[in-house]
Amino acid sequence: KLVERFPIITYLGAGVLAYTAGHMIVSEPLLDEVYDPSLIGRIATYAVLIIGVLSAGWWSTCRAEHRAEASAT
C-alpha cells in the first residue's frame, strides 16, 4: 500500500539499484584501464545508468496510464 500511495519509493529503489549496477561496472577489474584514470568516466557511467533507469520507469508508467485511459473510453 505504501508503494501505491508514495510512488517515489519505487523510483528511489530503482535509483539505488542503478547506482549499485554502476558501482559493479566501475569496480570491475577488467575495466580498470577505462575507469581508473577517468573520474569523469565513472561519474558519467553512474549518471547514464541512473538517469536511464529512472527515465525508462517514468516512460513505462506514462505509457501504461495512457493505455488505461484509452481502454476506459
Side-chain angles (χ1 to χ4, degrees):
K1 286 192 171 200
L2 282 175
V3 172
E4 291 173 8
R5 188 169 178 192
F6 303 107
I8 190 81
I9 294 171
T10 304
Y11 288 101
L12 288 173
V16 169
L17 288 174
Y19 173 80
T20 303
H23 183 70
M24 291 173 69
I25 291 169
V26 169
S27 64
E28 174 61 41
L30 293 174
L31 298 174
D32 280 347
E33 292 178 18
V34 176
Y35 287 113
D36 273 349
S38 175
L39 175 63
I40 294 172
R42 285 181 276 175
I43 292 172
T45 300
Y46 288 125
V48 167
L49 284 171
I50 293 170
I51 291 169
V53 166
L54 294 179
S55 297
W58 174 80
W59 180 74
S60 177
T61 300
C62 289
R63 189 170 173 206
E65 288 173 359
H66 179 70
R67 284 186 178 174
E69 289 174 3
S71 66
T73 57

